[in-house]
Amino acid sequence: DAKTTQPPSMDCAEGRAANLPCNHSTISGNEYVYWYRQIHSQGPQYIIHGLKNNETNEMASLIITEDRKSSTLILPHATLRDTAVYYCIVRVGTASKLTFGTGTRLQVTL
Amino acid sequence: DAGITQSPRHKVTETGTPVTLRCHQTENHRYMYWYRQDPGHGLRLIHYSYGVKDTDKGEVSDGYSVSRSKTEDFLLTLESATSSQTSVYFCAISETERNEQFFGPGTRLTVL
C-alpha cells in the first residue's frame, strides 16, 4: 500500500470548515483513498473513500487531485464533536488490509 | 452503529498466562479483523478472517493465534502473554474485502 503523509495536528474554529490534507504521491492506479477518524479511545469510524472522483456524504467531502497524489477531507461545519484523530489510508481495491499511520489530530475550538 | 461487541473490555493479566479476547458481530459480515493500537504506531493488523475457519496473518501476528468457528465470533488468543502485548485491541468487520470496515469499542489489555 502507498505511504501517506499527514500533518500531526490542526486546529479549527467551531462552525468553520476543517480541511485536512493528505499526501500520497506514490499511489497506484488501483488504490483507493480512505478516511477514518478516532474519537478519544473509541474504535475508528469510517468517514468516506474515493478512487478518482470527488465524493460527498453526510459526514464529509473528499477532494482528490487530478494526479491523485494528494487529497483533502473537508468537514464543512466543524463542531466540538469532530475533535478526533483523522487517518488517511490508501488501499488496494481488492485488499482486506487497512494500514493506519499516525494521522492528524484535529482540535475544534469555540 | 454496526453490531460489534468485544469482551472483555478491560483485562489485567500476568506474563506467561493465556488470554483470549472475543469479538462478536450481529451483522453477518464475512470479514473480521483484529488490530492492536499502541502509541506512535497507529493501528496494526494482527490477523483477519475471510470466512468460517478461514484466517490469515497480518503484519504483527507473532505471538497471536485466532479462530473462527462461527460467522459471528472471532477469537484472538495470546498463548503466553508478554508485556509487549500490552495494548488496546480492536476488532473490525466488513461485508466484503472491498467494503469499509466497522470497528468495535476495543479491549484494553495490560500484561504485568
Side-chain angles (χ1 to χ4, degrees):
Chain A
D1 292 342
K3 180 180 171 61
T4 61
T5 303
Q6 299 177 252
S9 63
M10 294 182 63
D11 292 330
C12 179
E14 189 176 35
R16 304 296 293 270
N19 297 282
L20 292 93
C22 181
N23 181 285
H24 31 79
S25 58
T26 60
I27 194 169
S28 302
N30 62 346
E31 289 183 312
Y32 289 74
V33 180
Y34 279 75
W35 284 84
Y36 282 76
R37 73 181 183 184
Q38 188 171 23
I39 298 172
H40 184 60
S41 75
Q42 297 179 19
Q45 177 188 23
Y46 166 80
I47 301 173
I48 199 167
H49 75 281
L51 182 64
K52 295 180 184 178
N53 300 321
N54 298 336
E55 303 287 344
T56 295
N57 63 20
E58 64 278 4
M59 288 183 67
S61 295
L62 174 60
I63 308 299
I64 303 174
T65 58
E66 194 169 340
D67 63 7
R68 302 206 327 120
K69 293 183 184 299
S70 65
S71 61
T72 301
L73 178 75
I74 301 172
L75 308 177
H77 304 287
T79 71
L80 297 178
R81 289 191 299 272
D82 293 320
T83 292
V85 177
Y86 287 78
Y87 296 98
C88 169
I89 300 162
V90 292
R91 173 192 183 192
V92 175
T94 57
S96 296
K97 188 176 73 170
L98 290 175
T99 301
F100 286 78
T102 52
T104 296
R105 182 172 299 278
L106 176 68
Q107 180 69 53
V108 181
T109 57
L110 291 172
Chain B
D1 290 343
I4 311 169
T5 57
Q6 293 184 230
S7 57
R9 293 292 315 280
H10 301 271
K11 186 170 181 66
V12 179
T13 191
E14 294 189 349
T15 299
T17 59
V19 176
T20 296
L21 309 183
R22 180 185 184 229
C23 177
H24 179 78
Q25 60 145 330
T26 58
E27 304 297 319
N28 201 37
H29 284 356
R30 180 180 171 191
Y31 287 76
M32 298 186 75
Y33 313 81
W34 277 107
Y35 291 85
R36 62 178 287 176
Q37 185 171 32
D38 306 289
H41 288 279
L43 278 85
R44 293 179 291 175
L45 181 67
I46 305 171
H47 282 280
Y48 69 98
S49 168
Y50 47 96
V52 174
K53 294 188 173 24
D54 292 322
T55 64
D56 205 350
K57 295 179 179 180
E59 60 179 310
V60 289
S61 59
D62 287 349
Y64 301 95
S65 62
V66 290
S67 64
R68 190 162 177 208
S69 59
K70 298 185 290 185
T71 298
E72 57 267 34
D73 289 324
F74 192 32
L75 304 181
L76 177 71
T77 298
L78 292 65
E79 299 290 347
S80 178
T82 68
S83 58
S84 65
Q85 294 175 312
T86 292
S87 188
V88 180
Y89 292 85
F90 288 101
C91 172
I93 64 173
S94 65
E95 196 167 1
T96 73
E97 60 187 354
R98 296 170 184 256
N99 283 50
E100 60 271 24
Q101 295 179 16
F102 298 99
F103 285 78
T107 294
R108 183 173 296 275
L109 176 67
T110 302
V111 183
L112 301 175

